[in-house]
Amino acid sequence: MSSCNNHLEALHDDHIASCVQCLEAGGEQKGLESEAVDAAAAAFAAMTPATQGAVVAALVRLMRPSQLRCLAATVARITRVDFVQITPISSLSPELSLRILQYLDAKSLCRAAQIARVWARLADDDLIWHRMCEQHIDKKCKTCGWGLPIIRNSGRRASPVPPAQQLAIPFTATNATTTETTTATISTKRKRLDSDPTDNLSSSSSNQISLSQLPSPIQFQPPTTIPKRRLWKNIYAERLIVERNWRKPQFRASRFVGHTDGIMSMQFNDCKQRFVTGGHDNIIRVWDSETNKCIKELTGHTQGVSGVQFDDQIIISCSLDRTVRIWSMKTFEMIRTFDNFRDGVVCLHYVDELLATGCADTTIRIINLNTGKFFHLRGHIDWVNKVQIYKKQYLFSCSDDHGVRMWDISTKTVVREFIGHHDQVQSLSISLPVPRSARASVESLGGSPKLVTGSTDKFVKIWDIETGKCLHTLYGHEDGVMCVASDTLRVVSGSHDNKVIVWDLESGKRIHSMEMERQSKINFTNSAGTNGGIINCVQLSDTKVLTGGEDGVIS
């Protein structure tokens, strides 16, 4: 073994050198006892495996550093495996090879792609990475425990997975007092309605355009150009970056101002790169989410715009001026006005031809946009703060009467009440699994749909829609919760305490909380004199969280 010193320089350049070369040339070297080496090798071969291990450990402790380096090179040469030569994957049919590789995780697939070209061709196959995306997108993977929702197109049609963007989570506002702020803001909602003049509102019962000219939300315009096909491996890599940003969290925050008074309502659509806001300044603003610039201001309402929703063709808005207006998304002209409400319209939600509105007179009105006919749902005894249509058959509503109800639209009756909040319920959101096939079961979609509610009792609650059972009560806000939004994985809530909290929908655990400085004065004075940092509305997509508050700032 002493002759190994002659090979030290070669070992640094070529790690496949071994002591075999020493043994072959060592017979002529002085001091090498060949018979002793042979006897030791024979004795080692006759030992049990346990004894052999003990002998090797003892010899390693006695070796010089140079001898250890030589031994390491020898072990590396002997144990090195040429997978390309000995594995049958290159000789198997592509179907069997892909079947084998489907059992690997993403990291192992990337490593396999570095072995050889034939491995790279198989490990990068779109079939394998499509399966990886299905395993994570819109639901949590059972193996690694992470997932990311697919971008939705206003609830109408699931869009292809777009390139992931850097996560943007909003600034939040400065601290406000708890009880005083809650009382002030609730009374502010009523003061804004009661103080504004409504007697002089012009009656617009004559429509600008007939119902037959109203574009149907069911229509879908096919794209004029065929989008470039993207590899599923690239999609998976981009979505993984976004998901890691959610967990860190790593985000880019931005703020932009357009409204001259508090923001009351908001809707965001990541696919169209648009969002629409309505405020106490009576103006609807359409924004470009890429540039954060207002591209259009829609005027016509005479009081605060309390609700907005849009799709490819229309924008529908409601206001405390007792009207609902429909606008063209292309020309931004007003198409129609519904003005026969007895009190301010607080919220709206529409799916296809069905439009639901919640009013300050405690009623819910269901309007058929194709025929103009409507009927009422009565049962709440205070303001209806939020409505949402579910499966075009049911409707959820929440009210200042502390109640959350599920209605059957066809029978006009209450199906279920969700009892648990002890103060006014300001907002609700439904988390809907996305069906991947007509035969998909509830379990394959990540469980039954869930209802999320937020109340001025400071709590966010998650309910099972099918049973009405409260699954989780989320504690974390120090003041009343004014708005909630959810997807299939996360819940976001905004509150009087100027905090935005992100929760895990399945476990109910808090992921992280943001509390940043929000300007309460931006060259205007709120008409009600309230704290400008209160968060009134929040919107959630897979890459962004948007908030709007009493300071008129979108963040």
Side-chain angles (χ1 to χ4, degrees):
M1 295 293 292
S2 61
S3 62
C4 290
N5 295 326
N6 300 329
H7 300 291
L8 286 179
E9 184 177 354
L11 286 173
H12 288 292
D13 299 330
D14 187 3
H15 291 285
I16 66 170
S18 70
C19 292
V20 176
Q21 298 173 350
C22 300
L23 293 174
E24 291 176 349
E28 302 176 356
Q29 297 184 17
K30 185 178 179 180
L32 181 62
E33 300 176 358
S34 301
E35 295 180 358
V37 172
D38 294 339
F44 183 83
M47 298 176 185
T48 63
T51 306
Q52 289 177 344
V55 171
V56 171
L59 291 175
V60 168
R61 287 194 296 269
L62 296 174
M63 285 183 179
R64 300 186 180 93
S66 59
Q67 294 171 337
L68 289 173
R69 287 193 294 268
C70 181
L71 178 63
T74 303
V75 172
R77 179 183 62 82
I78 295 175
T79 58
R80 188 180 67 177
V81 179
D82 189 348
F83 288 97
V84 179
Q85 297 296 329
I86 70 170
T87 185
I89 196 168
S90 58
S91 59
L92 294 175
S93 64
E95 292 79 8
L96 291 177
S97 300
L98 293 176
R99 181 69 174 176
I100 294 173
L101 292 176
Q102 282 183 354
Y103 289 96
L104 300 180
D105 58 14
K107 186 179 292 186
S108 300
L109 284 172
C110 292
R111 290 175 177 174
Q114 300 175 5
I115 295 176
R117 291 182 179 179
V118 61
W119 281 71
R121 186 171 63 251
L122 293 171
D124 291 343
D125 191 273
D126 244 18
L127 179 64
I128 293 179
W129 288 100
H130 178 266
R131 173 183 170 273
M132 294 294 296
C133 288
E134 279 194 329
Q135 194 170 312
H136 294 86
I137 293 179
D138 208 46
K139 61 181 179 181
K140 283 191 176 182
C141 174
K142 296 181 180 179
T143 303
C144 64
W146 71 266
L148 193 70
I150 193 171
I151 292 180
R152 288 166 177 75
N153 192 357
S154 294
R156 302 177 63 181
R157 209 178 240 263
S159 301
V161 180
Q165 305 171 8
Q166 186 74 10
L167 177 65
I169 298 179
F171 285 109
T172 53
T174 55
N175 288 330
T177 57
T178 57
T179 307
E180 295 178 356
T181 304
T182 303
T183 307
T185 304
I186 295 172
S187 60
T188 295
K189 179 173 64 173
R190 303 183 185 278
K191 286 180 181 179
R192 289 183 183 272
L193 177 62
D194 298 336
S195 61
D196 291 334
T198 57
D199 297 334
N200 297 328
L201 291 177
S202 59
S203 177
S204 53
S205 56
S206 57
N207 301 326
Q208 287 82 352
I209 296 180
S210 64
L211 276 172
S212 59
Q213 294 175 305
L214 182 65
S216 172
I218 304 177
Q219 298 175 359
F220 175 74
Q221 299 295 334
T224 55
T225 58
I226 299 177
K228 185 178 179 181
R229 181 177 175 271
R230 302 182 63 237
L231 297 177
W232 283 103
K233 184 177 182 179
N234 296 339
I235 295 173
Y236 180 89
E238 292 169 346
R239 309 300 278 184
L240 179 59
I241 293 173
V242 175
E243 195 278 335
R244 286 175 175 173
N245 288 343
W246 275 106
R247 281 185 289 174
K248 298 293 179 161
Q250 293 180 356
F251 57 87
R252 181 181 67 251
S254 58
R255 297 162 54 91
F256 37 101
V257 181
H259 288 276
T260 58
D261 205 338
I263 298 172
M264 302 177 67
S265 56
M266 174 190 299
Q267 188 200 351
F268 173 69
N269 191 302
D270 217 348
C271 294
K272 302 180 181 63
Q273 298 179 354
R274 292 284 186 274
F275 63 95
V276 178
T277 58
H280 285 298
D281 57 7
N282 311 340
I283 298 175
I284 303 166
R285 283 178 168 82
V286 183
W287 302 79
D288 187 321
S289 62
E290 290 295 306
T291 62
N292 293 339
K293 293 182 178 179
C294 179
I295 59 178
K296 191 65 179 179
E297 293 184 358
L298 308 181
T299 59
H301 286 293
T302 58
Q303 291 191 42
V305 180
S306 52
V308 291
Q309 188 180 346
F310 72 97
D311 59 25
D312 294 323
Q313 299 173 357
I314 59 174
I315 302 171
I316 301 184
S317 61
C318 65
S319 170
L320 300 179
D321 64 7
R322 306 181 184 181
T323 66
V324 172
R325 298 175 188 261
I326 302 176
W327 316 75
S328 170
M329 190 62 180
K330 296 181 180 179
T331 64
F332 300 112
E333 296 179 354
M334 188 166 60
I335 298 174
R336 175 161 188 182
T337 300
F338 295 94
D339 63 347
N340 53 350
F341 291 90
R342 294 185 302 174
D343 210 334
V345 186
V346 182
C347 57
L348 65 84
H349 183 250
Y350 77 92
V351 176
D352 295 336
E353 75 281 359
L354 286 182
L355 168 65
T357 61
C359 301
D361 64 0
T362 75
T363 64
I364 301 170
R365 179 176 295 190
I366 309 295
I367 304 173
N368 188 306
L369 295 177
N370 291 337
T371 63
K373 297 181 179 180
F374 64 88
F375 59 88
H376 293 92
L377 302 177
R378 292 181 172 88
H380 287 294
I381 57 175
D382 210 331
W383 280 38
V384 179
N385 294 318
K386 198 76 173 181
V387 293
Q388 186 166 347
I389 298 173
Y390 173 56
K391 292 184 177 180
K392 294 184 66 175
Q393 181 181 356
Y394 302 101
L395 180 135
F396 289 87
S397 64
C398 62
S399 169
D400 280 352
D401 63 8
H402 310 179
V404 181
R405 300 189 177 198
M406 178 180 180
W407 306 77
D408 188 315
I409 296 177
S410 59
T411 62
K412 308 176 186 178
T413 58
V414 176
V415 176
R416 186 173 293 110
E417 291 191 49
F418 300 83
I419 301 174
H421 285 293
H422 306 292
D423 210 333
Q424 293 142 338
V425 185
Q426 297 294 327
S427 184
L428 62 82
S429 176
I430 301 176
S431 173
L432 295 175
V434 177
R436 305 187 186 280
S437 66
R439 299 181 180 179
S441 62
V442 172
E443 291 75 14
S444 67
L445 300 178
S448 60
K450 296 176 177 61
L451 174 68
V452 182
T453 57
S455 169
T456 53
D457 60 10
K458 307 178 186 179
F459 300 142
V460 177
K461 289 182 178 288
I462 301 176
W463 313 79
D464 188 307
I465 289 179
E466 303 298 333
T467 63
K469 179 182 178 181
C470 180
L471 303 176
H472 302 286
T473 298
L474 311 184
Y475 306 88
H477 285 291
E478 299 173 2
D479 211 329
V481 179
M482 292 299 295
C483 50
V484 293
S486 65
D487 54 32
T488 55
L489 297 171
R490 300 175 184 89
V491 175
V492 175
S493 57
S495 169
H496 287 289
D497 59 11
N498 307 324
K499 287 183 181 179
V500 171
I501 299 181
V502 181
W503 316 81
D504 182 83
L505 177 67
E506 182 178 351
S507 65
K509 295 181 179 180
R510 179 166 59 179
I511 301 175
H512 44 263
S513 173
M514 288 80 65
E515 183 178 4
M516 302 180 187
E517 188 71 21
R518 178 187 283 271
Q519 296 179 359
S520 59
K521 295 181 180 180
I522 51 171
N523 300 325
F524 74 87
T525 302
N526 267 341
S527 59
T530 57
N531 187 341
I534 296 174
I535 299 172
N536 287 333
C537 48
V538 62
Q539 285 284 299
L540 170 67
S541 77
D542 65 338
T543 59
K544 291 183 177 66
V545 175
L546 267 71
T547 64
E550 284 295 322
D551 58 358
V553 175
I554 302 167
S555 56

